[in-house]
Amino acid sequence: SGQHRVPRASAQLLAPVGDPEKVICVGLNYHDHCEEQGAKVPKEPLIFSKFPSAITGPFDDIVHPQDTSELDWEVELAAVIGKRGRHIEEAAALEHVLGFTVANDVSARDWQMRRNGRQWLLGKTFDTFCPLGPAIVTREAVPDVHNLWIRCSVNGHQMQDSSTRHLIFGVPALVAWVSRFVTLVPGDILLTGTPAGVGV
């Protein structure tokens, strides 16, 4: 009706999914990112996770922990699971996706690359290290998830500018792969990797 609108300035937008069971992430999943890192293109998806407590609103502050001196950004397309599944066939994988949103896989590179036995978890999952949103765009409203512009600006300077067509493993392949190991449930978040232009 248009009679119950809230002025944008008076509202704080939260993450569109605030407490998922799982936040599953993919590393080295863009050709241009592998090239800039001098890394070989993976033969299988490189999977890691963040804790749901890392999620924060899309416009909330990212807290710079005293424990790191190497804070970094990673813009990512995130898929939101909408239908439970295990051992999902790739051909049917998008049927398990509710829609898509934007995430920032904030990373403490010292903890990711050199500390904690070089396991990635701690460097990826400090509180506020997963800004998410502001909206979920339904799967049906996205004509081609592998032809989306993806970019990140830091302090007004564009640092990442790419397209999801450069993904190594597309969304259906990732959903199918992850479901080999864990049951995907509605609300789970799948961060699909970042393109070139990260600070490291």
Side-chain angles (χ1 to χ4, degrees):
S1 67
Q3 297 177 12
H4 304 285
R5 295 186 178 187
V6 175
R8 171 65 188 91
S10 69
Q12 178 188 6
L13 293 181
L14 305 178
V17 180
D19 190 24
E21 183 177 289
K22 295 182 283 298
V23 180
I24 303 160
C25 309
V26 185
L28 295 173
N29 197 33
Y30 276 78
H31 289 281
D32 54 3
H33 182 52
C34 288
E35 184 177 335
E36 79 169 351
Q37 298 299 310
K40 293 181 179 178
V41 173
K43 296 187 184 332
E44 297 173 334
L46 176 60
I47 304 296
F48 61 96
S49 65
K50 288 178 175 279
F51 293 134
S53 56
I55 292 176
T56 191
F59 305 110
D60 291 345
D61 290 338
I62 297 166
V63 177
H64 188 302
Q66 293 181 346
D67 293 294
T68 181
S69 59
E70 297 180 21
L71 199 63
D72 205 351
W73 58 84
E74 294 189 8
V75 65
E76 308 210 6
L77 172 74
V80 181
I81 300 300
K83 179 181 172 184
R84 183 183 184 93
R86 179 85 197 273
H87 299 294
I88 299 166
E89 295 293 331
E90 187 172 335
L94 283 180
E95 297 172 17
H96 292 262
V97 174
L98 168 72
F100 305 96
T101 189
V102 181
N104 187 342
D105 176 19
V106 181
S107 305
R109 298 299 186 192
D110 39 5
W111 284 93
Q112 178 191 0
M113 301 297 190
R114 294 186 302 282
R115 302 185 68 179
N116 193 42
R118 298 178 67 187
Q119 297 182 57
W120 288 14
L121 178 64
L122 290 183
K124 294 285 192 173
T125 203
F126 282 93
D127 290 350
T128 74
F129 270 26
C130 191
L132 197 65
I136 298 172
V137 179
T138 60
R139 180 187 75 239
E140 295 82 4
V142 179
D144 183 359
V145 70
H146 301 118
N147 188 26
L148 298 174
W149 185 21
I150 184 166
R151 64 192 190 278
C152 173
S153 294
V154 179
N155 297 329
H157 300 284
Q158 188 164 276
M159 306 304 292
Q160 294 180 275
D161 184 9
S162 190
S163 168
T164 57
R165 69 177 177 271
H166 299 301
L167 281 166
I168 295 166
F169 302 101
V171 174
L174 293 174
V175 170
W177 176 261
V178 171
S179 76
R180 290 172 57 177
F181 305 93
V182 296
T183 300
L184 294 173
V185 300
D188 283 351
I189 307 293
L190 175 61
L191 276 63
T192 59
T194 197
V198 297
V200 71

